[in-house]
Each structure stands twice: as C-alpha cells, then as structure tokens.
Amino acid sequence: MITTFAAALNAGLRRALEDDPKVVIMGEDVGRLGGVFRVTDTLQKDFGDSRVIDTPLAESGIVGTAFGMALRGYRPVCEIQFDGFVYPAFDQIVSQIAKIHYRTQGRVRAPLTIRIPFGGGIGSVEHHSESPESYFTHTAGLRVVTPSNPADAYTMIRQAIALDDPVIFFEPKRRYWDKAEFDPHAPVELPLHRARVCVPGSDATLVAYGGTVATALTAARIAAEEGISLEVIDLRSLAPLDIDTVAESVTRTGRLVVAHEAPVFGGLGAELAARVTERCFYHMEAPVLRVGGFDIPYPPAKLEKHHLPDPDRILAAVDRSLAA
C-alpha cells in the first residue's frame, strides 16, 4: 500500500506498543493532540494515558524521567518536539544516558529511544529546522539513526525500540508527508546499522541521509539523463557508520560526494571524508567533496532554499569531482 512517512512511523510505534507492554511513549502533546506532526495520532486513545503520556514542556524532565524508567525495565520512547528543543536535555543524554553502560562495566543498560524531528524544508526558523546530529554521533555510547522513507521509518523505529542501547532517532520532518510503497508484513531487509545502496552506479558515489536522500536521488536521475551514472547510498545509521558499504562503492567509482543539511564544518561528511580517504586512497580519482548547509545559524524561512543542498549544488560537486 501507499502511505506517508508519518503514518508509517505511527504504525511502527503502534506495533511496538502491541508487542511489548514495557514500551511507553512520552513527550509534549504526544497524547490527546497526537504530536505536533500527528506521528502519535490515536495512540493514547487506543493504549491509554499510562502508555502514551503527555508531559510538561520540560525536555530535561522528559528525558531524565525516561532514563529512570529505562533503568527499571521499561522501554521509553521520548519525543522531542523539534530538533532545537533537545538542548535542555543534552546533559541528560551525553553525561548520563550515553555513559551508563560503560560506567557500570556493562551491568546496566538503557533501552531508551529519543525521537527528534530534524532538518529544514518546512518554512520554520531556528530551533525548528536544525541538524544537530553531529553532537550525538560524537558521543560514545549512543546509536544515531535516521530513516529516509516510509518503509525504513516503520522498520527502524521498531528495531530502535527493541535494542538495549540508547538510540537517537532523527526523523526528517520535511519528509513526513512524502508517500511511498509500504508493506508492514515485508521481511526486515537490513539490520539497523547497515547502509543501503539505493541506486547502483559507476561514475561516482553520492552519500546522503535523512531528508537529503530524496534530493540525492533526484540529482542521480538528472545525472542519468546526461549520461552520468551515480551510485546513491542512504547511510541510515550515523553512529555506528557503515563504512564498509561506502568504501566498497568508492573503490569501484573512485569518487565520493557527501550531502547533508548540517553545516559542512565539523559535520558528518568530514568524518566520512577522513575514513574513506584512509580506506580508499589508492583507488580515488578525486578528493572527497561535501555539500551541506552554510556555517550560519539557520536562516529565515524565505532564505532556506538557498541554505539547503539541492540537486543543482549536488550536481555541481559531481561535475567538479569528474573534472578532477
């Protein structure tokens, strides 16, 4: 069937609630309202307010309470309403949750999932359109993942909740209304930590994640019309990184372009560039190129189309790589 990204997430959360009575959902307006993007719509009505919990507007309290519940055997799923609202909970996440397994020499686990709508493209301002993923990928002890399509949204949220590790689950909010084929009964195709080759190609490798995957696929279609074959890889997992899949591709194509919404400086693309260069140096025909946001606070809504990577900027990088 055809469904939206948001509806697939809702179905995945519903399935997790049905499968395990220890799963609880909590956050601002997740219950009666169904979430600001309606991802949790009808879940409180169907499972009750002890399993789908409306909380005060206090992110540190939401995450801190969920951490305590996780230590007592529950599997909480927190919703942070917008990406830029996660910062009040940053200390809870990086100082406590991420370190509890290491601190206790493996005796204590924190099976906790923190859902964060992230990225731009919806005409909102700073704190509503940011890409803070690198803060969390830099933190040992956290898994960081992001689906790019409805099928992965359904599968990956269930995989994240079932893990005994804390997971930061980034949801590209501009894709909530994207529709695609979705079969809830299809077998799981990939483990949570694996990247996917979306389109095979031979001239250059194009890596993206989250909301930028659809942009990369558009760029690949345009390139194909011009006789350029781009291999598009959806990372899916940002920590850990599936470097093997990317390196195998770059070994064949000899070129790599990385696209993401976050600013290029200190972004995930820099880590990819370093690791791929270490692994594939003698196979590469050109330097790794990155396409991302600019090193500024998120711009006003009227300017975001100039800030976010688009097919033209990605293809310009591909042209520079092919010309090297």
Side-chain angles (χ1 to χ4, degrees):
M1 63 179 179
I2 303 295
T3 194
T4 65
F5 189 103
L9 272 173
N10 180 280
L13 291 167
R14 177 178 295 276
R15 179 70 181 273
L17 287 163
E18 291 170 347
D19 289 348
D20 189 345
K22 292 294 187 180
V23 173
V24 296
I25 295 172
M26 53 198 300
E28 302 163 6
D29 297 321
V30 298
R32 292 183 63 185
L33 180 66
V36 73
F37 295 104
R38 303 299 187 269
V39 171
T40 54
D41 194 32
T42 73
L43 294 182
Q44 188 181 78
K45 177 176 71 70
D46 294 341
F47 292 93
D49 59 10
S50 64
R51 304 227 19 227
V52 183
I53 306 164
D54 282 315
T55 67
L57 274 67
E59 286 78 15
S60 62
I62 295 168
V63 174
T65 300
F67 183 38
M69 294 176 71
L71 296 181
R72 298 294 294 176
Y74 288 87
R75 292 186 177 273
V77 182
C78 299
E79 180 184 288
I80 304 297
Q81 203 167 74
F82 284 92
D83 35 55
F85 296 177
V86 73
Y87 303 123
F90 194 74
D91 181 56
Q92 297 278 8
I93 296 169
V94 304
S95 299
Q96 307 300 328
I97 293 171
K99 293 178 173 59
I100 190 66
H101 187 243
Y102 178 82
R103 184 179 292 150
T104 62
Q105 296 183 329
R107 290 190 293 271
V108 176
R109 309 301 291 258
L112 168 64
T113 301
I114 301 174
R115 295 179 42 239
I116 307 176
F118 85 126
I122 64 167
S124 288
V125 294
E126 59 176 310
H127 298 322
H128 296 74
S129 299
E130 296 172 5
S131 298
E133 57 269 23
S134 289
Y135 294 130
F136 300 102
T137 60
H138 189 70
T139 303
L142 298 176
R143 290 178 181 252
V144 183
V145 301
T146 177
S148 67
N149 58 75
D152 272 353
Y154 174 77
T155 300
M156 290 171 67
I157 190 63
R158 293 176 57 208
Q159 290 174 314
I161 294 169
L163 280 177
D164 286 335
D165 299 321
V167 180
I168 308 297
F169 195 91
F170 280 110
E171 301 168 7
K173 66 174 79 72
R174 64 170 160 158
R175 303 301 174 200
Y176 277 140
W177 304 277
D178 286 4
K179 293 182 178 180
E181 189 68 33
F182 164 65
D183 180 5
H185 306 295
V188 176
E189 183 181 351
L190 293 170
L192 189 60
H193 66 278
R194 288 287 304 279
R196 171 183 286 111
V197 178
C198 302
V199 177
S202 58
D203 293 329
T205 302
L206 176 55
V207 172
Y209 57 85
T212 313
V213 173
T215 311
L217 290 171
T218 299
R221 285 194 294 271
I222 296 170
E225 294 171 0
E226 300 174 355
I228 300 170
S229 175
L230 297 181
E231 181 148 296
V232 179
I233 297 178
D234 177 1
L235 278 183
R236 301 173 76 248
S237 175
L238 311 186
L241 276 173
D242 182 5
I243 291 296
D244 289 343
T245 295
V246 178
E248 190 278 330
S249 176
V250 175
T251 298
R252 286 186 291 101
T253 67
R255 292 174 169 85
L256 173 62
V257 175
V258 184
H260 55 62
E261 292 187 24
V264 167
F265 183 84
L268 198 69
E271 180 65 25
L272 273 168
R275 293 201 178 203
V276 167
T277 301
E278 291 171 356
R279 289 273 296 270
C280 307
F281 183 78
Y282 293 105
H283 299 276
M284 297 181 69
E285 304 292 338
V288 178
L289 297 179
R290 294 168 291 158
V291 182
F294 301 106
D295 295 330
I296 58 172
Y298 201 83
K302 290 182 178 179
L303 299 176
E304 71 173 353
K305 67 179 181 180
H306 303 291
H307 179 74
L308 297 174
D310 61 13
D312 286 342
R313 287 177 59 197
I314 291 174
L315 290 171
V318 170
D319 288 342
R320 293 198 306 274
S321 180
L322 293 173

